[in-house]
Amino acid sequence: MKTNFFFSKLLSVLLTLFGISIFVFVVLRVIPGDTITGTLGTDTGVLSPEQIDVLKQYYGIDKSLFGQYTSWMGSFLKGDLGFSFTTGLSVAKLTQSSLAVTAELAILGTVLGVIMGIAVGMFSARKPGSVRDFAGQLFGLLALAIPGFVLSTTIVAVMANKFHYFPNGLEYMTPWRNPWMNFQQMMFPALVLGIAVAAPVMRTTRSALLETVDKDFVRTAHGKGVPARRVQFKHVLRNSLIPIVTMTGIQFGYLLGGAVIVEKIFALPGMGRQVLDAINHREYATVQSSVMIFAILFVTINLVTDLIYRQIDPRIK
Amino acid sequence: MAIHLIALKGALVRITKKIAFSALATALVAGLMIAQPAKAATDLTIGTVLDIDKLDPHTSTNFETIRDLGLVYGSLVEVGSGNVIHPGLASSWVFSNGGKTLTLKLRSGVKFHDGTAFDSADVKATLERILNTATGAVARSNVSTIASIATPTPSQVVLTLSVPNVPILAALDGVNVAMLSSDDIAAGKVGGTNKPNGTGPYKFVSWTAGQQVKLSANTSYWKGAPTIPNITIRVIPNEASILAALNAGTIQFAAITDPLIIKQVGKNLNVIKTPALQYYALQFNTKVAPLNDVNVRLAIQCAIDRNEFVTTALLGQGAISGPITSPAFKSDTSARPCPTVDLAKSKAYLAAAGKTSLTFKVLVTSNGWATSQAMAQNLKAQLAKANITMELDITDQATYVPRWLAADFVATLANNGGRIDPDTMYTRYFTSTGNLNKVATYSSATLDANFLLGKSSGLKAVRTKAYDAITKELEDNAVWVWLATPYEYRVTSKNLRNFTLLATGSYLPLRDAKLS
Amino acid sequence: MTSRVKEKSWLHYYLRSTSGVIGAILVFLMVLLSLIAAFKLYPHDPVLQDIENTLKGPSGKYWFGTDQFGRDIFSRCLDGMRRSMIVSIFSVAIATVVGVTLGILGGYFGRWFDSVVVRMSDVIFAFPAILLALAIVNSLGNSWIDTSLAIAVVYTPIFIRVARGPVLSTKEMDYVKSARILGFSSPRILVSHILPNVLAPIVVQIALSLSWAILTESGLSFLGLGTQPPNASLGLMVSDAQALAAFAWWTLAFPSLFITIAVVGLNLVGDGLRDSLDPARRNS
C-alpha cells in the first residue's frame, strides 16, 4: 500500500514538472523578442541578415520549436542545464551560487519570521484583550500590510544615507569566505522577508495558545503544579506546528521566487535576479532551466511538508 | 512557599535574559558601526547598475560592457578632450587618392597585456574579423567601405576604401573596433570565457558574473602607467542603492542617469556632468496614418514646448537639441519650423491636414532609461493643450526592442546613441540603403546625395553645408521631433582628482585620475 | 421536527468580533473613498500636472502634497485606491468563479478530470508569479483588465484547493450518498448539499485574496508590470517615491498608508468572517 502511494505521488510530481517545462517554454516564446534582440538591444538593427543567421545558430534558436524543446529537455535530463551567454557560465554553475544566496536568504527569513512570530504571538496571548495583546496584533497586521519594497527602501534610506552604513555596497561574501560580512549583508533583507513570514505565524500562535487556556489538560497540569506556560508551550508546538509547517513550506517556496525585489534593492546575487535578468535578455535556456530547478525545489518542499503533516496529524489518512 | 520561590526564580531568569539580550544587541549594533573593512585608500571601486554581458569587444552593445572593456582595450584613434579625434594606437594618418586611401602610422613600442608586441598584422586581423559576417560585429556596417587592407611594414597600415569615406576615421574609435592580437584571433581566443588581452591602461583580472569586474593597472601602458593601481566595478542594480553606497563610502565613482537621484546628492560628493551625445526624439512612422501627412507631423512638433520638457522630465538637466549632436557639426536648434512652442501654428497645420483634433499612439519603454515615463507623461500633457491626444503604449525594454526594430509603431519615444561624426550617426537611419532606414521610415534622393557629399569630402566647409542641408530637410519635414540631449553624470567621492568626463561617457580618462 | 431554538445568524456573531467590526469600518472607508473617486469628486484631477508646484509638501490646496509633476497626491491616492479595488475585485472574482467551479467539479466527479485540475493547479502554483505576469502583460497588453487576468491566474489554484477540500470530505457523508442513491441529479446535489459546506471557507478566502491582490497589484506596478502611467496606482506611486522619499516624505507615506489600510481592513474582515462562519469558533 505504501509503495503504491509513493509511486502515485512520484508520478504526479513528474507530471507536474513536465507540465511546467512545457508551460515555461511556451510562455517564453510567446513574449516578443528573442535572444538576439535581448542581448544586443536596438543595435540589432545594424546587423546584416547573414550576421543574424550566424547569431541564430550560435544561440540555438534557428531550430524548430519542437527541436529547441527536445534539445533543451534532453540536455537538462542529462544534467546539462544550458549555457548563459551574458555571464559566460554554464547555467548549472550560475544557479549553484545564486541558489545558495537565495536559499540562505529564504532560510534566514523563515527562521527569523518563525521566531518573531512565535515570540510576539506568545507575548500577545499571555493577556488577551490587554494593551499588549492589541500591540502584538497591530504588529501582526502591519507586518502583513506594509509591502516589502516600502520597508526595504526605507531601511536603505535611513541606514545608508543617514548613518552611512551599507554593507550591501561591498563585495558580496558567502558565509564560507567571510561569515561576519555575510551576516551583515543578509541581516536587513532577511529581516524584511522575516517580517512578512512573522505575520501569519504570530496569528496562528496566538489563536493556538488562546485555545489551550480553557482546555482540561491545562487545568489538570496546573493543578498538579506544572506552570501553565510550559504546558501551553508544548501544546502550541504540537498544534500550531501543523499549520506553521504547511505555511513555512508555502512561504519558503514563495520566498525563493518572491525575493526578487529585496535582492534587487540589497544587491544580493540571488536566483530572483538571475531569472529576471535572463528574462530581460531572453536567454531561454537560463530561464527555462532556472524555473525547472525552482519548480523541482518547490514541489519537493511541498512533498516533504505534506509527509511531515501526515506524520504529525494522525487524523489525515 | 514553593510557589513563591518558583515565581521568584522565574522572574530572576526573565530579568537576566532581558539584560543579556540588551547587552548583546548593543554590542552587535556598536560592532556593526565600527566594523567597516579597511582597504587600500588608492584603489577605486565603481558602482554600476548593469553587469557586463560579454568579453568580446566587437559584439558588445551593452553600455557597461563598452565602458569596462574600454579600459582594457585600445583602438586606433580616440575621442578625447574637446570631443575631437586624437591619436590612439595610430600616431598619425593621412588620406590620399581623393579620400579613397587611408594610411595609418602605428605607435611604436605598444604591447598587449600578454607581452606580445602590437603591429600592423594585428590591425589587419582585427579589421578582417570585424568585416567577417560570422563574427556578428556591430561596427561592421561602419567600416564596410574597407575594400582591402595592406600592411607594407609592421608600423604601417594602408586601407583602400570602395568609396571616398572621410568619416571612417571616427568609426575607428571605440571598443567595437578594439585592436585584438592576431594570435588570439587565429587561436579563437576572443570572447566566450577567454580573458581579454588588450593594449589598454588596465589589465583584466576577473569577472564574477552578476557581481563585479576586477582590473589592475598595466604598468607598461604606452601613455604611462595609470596612478590608480586597482579598479573594481561592482554591480548594485538600483540607482538609489548606488547613492547609498557612495554615501557610505563603499564605492567612490558611479554613473547616475536619474535626475531625481542626482538631486539628492549631498555636499559630501562631487557631481561631474557634461552634455551627452545621445539624444531623445519622438520618432514618427511617416508611412502610417495619421503621421504620413507632413502637416500632422508639423502640428505635433509645434505643439511641443521643449523647454518645459527639459525642465519637467529632465529636471532641467539637459539641453534642447537638433538632429546632429556631434560637437563639430551641431544642428542649429533655432533653424526649425517652430523653435519655440506655437499653439497657433500647430492649429494651422492641423487645419491644413483637414483636422481639428488628433489621436495617435506612442510606443514607450517603461525601463529603457530612467526618465522615459516622465518624458512620455510630460509630452502627453503638453499635447493635450493643442487638442492632440497622445495614447501611451508602454512595454518593458526587452519587448520594446523587437517592436522598434520592426517599426511596429505609429510613433515612439526613443533614446538613440549619438556619435562624434554625423556620418556614423545617421547614415544608418536616413540613407535609403541604411540598416536602420526601416526604423527611420524616411529617405529621399536629396538626403542620399547630401550624405554622400558629407562622406566623401575632407573639407569642413563642404561637410558642414551638407549636414546643414540634411538637418533642414529632416526638420522641415518633421520626420522626427528631436527633443533634447541629457547630461552624462558621474558622482564621485571628493578625493578623486584629475578626471575629465567626455561626451561619450567613456571610463578611459580614469587612466590619468588619482585618489588622494 | 422544527427546532424551537432560533439559530443566530452569522451577522450576529460577526458583530461580536472586534476585529471584524474594525475591519468592516476600514473596508467601508476604502469603498467610500473609491466611490468618491469613481464619481470624480476628488479636489483635483489626478493626472493634471501643475509644473509650478512640483514636490510641495502638504498644504491647504494640496492636502497630501504634490508629486514630481505637481499632481495632487490626495486625489491620486483616491484614484489609486479605486483602481486597486477594481483590479483586486475583478481578479479575485475571476479566480473565485474559475477556481471554485474547477475545484468543486474536480472534487465531486473525481478520476481523470480531478487529476487534470490538480495537475494544472500545481503547475501554476509552482510557477514564478513574476514570469507569469510578465508573459500575460506582454502578450495581451497592460490595461487594468490584463493586470487583473495576470493576478487572477496566480490566485486561481488557491481557490481550487480551498473549494476541493470540503467537497472531498462532504461527498463521503451519508446524506450526500443517500441523495445520490435516491437519484437526485448531480447539479441539484452540488447546489443544495455540497455548495453550503464550501461557502464558508471560500468567503474567508475571498477576503484574504482581496488583500493579497492589492499587495500584488502594487508589487507588479512597482516592477513596471501593473497600472501604466499617467494613471494613478498606489504601487506605482510607491515605486516613483523610491527616488523621492528622502526629500519628499509625503510621496511615500500616503500611498503606503492607503495600501496598509486596505490590506489591514480586508484581513480583519477575513478574521471576522472566519470567526462567525465556522461553527467551532463561534464561541471563542
Side-chain angles (χ1 to χ4, degrees), chain C residues 39-265:
Chain C
F39 289 109
K40 303 201 199 287
L41 294 169
Y42 22 64
H44 303 270
D45 183 349
V47 298
L48 187 66
Q49 302 184 359
D50 181 356
I51 308 297
E52 317 290 312
N53 281 315
T54 59
L55 295 172
K56 290 280 194 303
S59 64
K61 187 174 181 199
Y62 298 115
W63 298 346
F64 283 1
T66 57
D67 68 2
Q68 71 272 34
F69 291 112
R71 297 182 293 211
D72 178 29
I73 291 185
F74 178 65
S75 305
R76 285 179 73 75
C77 281
L78 289 183
D79 206 35
M81 177 68 91
R82 175 185 72 92
R83 202 163 267 107
S84 295
M85 290 236 62
I86 293 179
V87 169
S88 61
I89 291 175
F90 194 62
S91 59
V92 171
I94 297 177
T96 309
V97 167
V98 174
V100 169
T101 311
L102 287 176
I104 291 182
L105 291 178
Y108 186 72
F109 289 113
R111 278 170 298 174
W112 68 267
F113 182 69
D114 188 36
S115 312
V116 169
V117 167
V118 171
R119 195 69 43 242
M120 266 173 37
S121 146
D122 282 347
V123 166
I124 296 176
F125 216 41
F127 206 77
I130 291 176
L131 182 52
L132 207 51
L134 190 66
I136 293 179
V137 162
N138 272 320
S139 25
L140 295 177
N142 44 38
S143 69
W144 66 270
I145 299 181
D146 304 306
T147 312
S148 309
L149 275 173
I151 298 177
V153 171
V154 172
Y155 288 137
T156 304
I158 300 176
F159 280 99
I160 294 180
R161 260 172 216 221
V162 167
R164 197 171 157 269
V167 171
L168 289 176
S169 48
T170 311
K171 84 172 179 181
E172 298 306 318
M173 291 197 174
D174 289 335
Y175 72 101
V176 174
K177 281 189 172 161
S178 30
R180 286 170 96 158
I181 294 171
L182 284 174
F184 286 2
S185 68
S186 291
R188 187 167 165 189
I189 296 178
L190 281 174
V191 170
S192 44
H193 294 77
I194 306 277
L195 203 57
N197 281 0
V198 174
L199 220 50
I202 289 179
V203 168
V204 174
Q205 186 59 46
I206 288 178
L208 288 176
S209 296
L210 283 171
S211 76
W212 297 343
I214 292 182
L215 281 174
T216 307
E217 193 272 337
S218 70
L220 286 176
S221 300
F222 183 81
L223 290 172
L225 298 171
T227 310
Q228 300 301 325
N231 292 324
S233 143
L234 297 174
L236 204 54
M237 292 167 79
V238 171
S239 170
D240 287 345
Q242 264 193 106
L244 305 166
F247 54 92
W249 60 268
W250 54 93
T251 56
L252 181 63
F254 295 114
S256 308
L257 184 67
F258 271 56
I259 295 178
T260 308
I261 291 177
V263 174
V264 167

Side-chain angles (χ1 to χ4, degrees), chain B residues 260 264 373-374 377 394 396 399, chain C residues 71 138 142 228-230 243 246-247:
Chain B
L260 285 172
Q264 299 175 53
Q373 301 207 60
Q377 293 183 71
I394 305 181
D396 71 299
T399 308
Chain C
R71 297 182 293 211
N138 272 320
N142 44 38
Q228 300 301 325
F247 54 92

Side-chain angles (χ1 to χ4, degrees), chain B residues 268-281:
Chain B
N268 56 326
L269 297 167
N270 259 347
V271 177
I272 309 175
K273 71 183 191 190
T274 188
L277 291 173
Q278 52 171 298
Y279 61 91
Y280 302 113

Side-chain angles (χ1 to χ4, degrees), chain A residues 79-258:
Chain A
D80 172 13
L81 272 54
F83 186 74
S84 162
F85 302 102
T86 56
T87 58
L89 297 168
S90 67
V91 177
K93 191 126 200 289
L94 198 63
T95 309
Q96 219 177 321
S97 40
S98 64
L99 190 58
V101 174
T102 304
E104 187 191 341
L105 184 60
I107 292 173
L108 282 177
T110 312
V111 164
L112 212 59
V114 168
I115 293 177
M116 278 196 286
I118 292 183
V120 177
M122 291 186 80
F123 175 79
S124 219
R126 215 163 285 173
K127 278 210 194 116
S130 67
V131 178
R132 313 158 64 134
D133 186 18
F134 180 71
Q137 292 204 66
L138 189 64
F139 168 81
L141 282 171
L142 288 178
L144 201 60
I146 298 181
F149 53 87
V150 171
L151 207 51
S152 302
T153 39
T154 316
I155 291 177
V156 170
V158 169
M159 292 312 295
N161 294 315
K162 283 244 154 57
F163 293 107
H164 290 203
Y165 173 67
F166 194 55
N168 297 94
L170 297 165
E171 186 181 344
Y172 173 74
M173 292 286 167
T174 60
W176 332 121
R177 260 181 85 188
N178 188 339
W180 176 231
M181 179 53 68
N182 177 266
F183 172 75
Q184 293 182 73
Q185 289 174 329
M186 283 286 174
M187 194 171 58
F188 289 130
L191 186 66
V192 170
L193 292 177
I195 287 179
V197 171
V201 170
M202 178 241 130
R203 306 170 91 218
T204 317
T205 310
R206 180 180 172 280
S207 48
L209 269 172
L210 289 182
E211 268 182 18
T212 72
V213 169
D214 284 338
K215 291 279 168 25
D216 287 337
F217 69 87
V218 174
R219 291 213 202 99
T220 321
H222 200 77
K224 283 194 187 160
V226 181
R229 208 158 299 141
R230 204 197 293 169
V231 182
Q232 284 187 326
F233 192 66
K234 278 174 88 174
H235 184 86
V236 165
L237 274 187
R238 209 173 298 129
N239 268 40
S240 48
L241 205 59
I242 300 158
I244 286 177
V245 163
T246 329
M247 199 193 313
T248 306
I250 299 178
Q251 293 284 10
F252 190 72
Y254 277 130
L255 283 181
L256 281 184

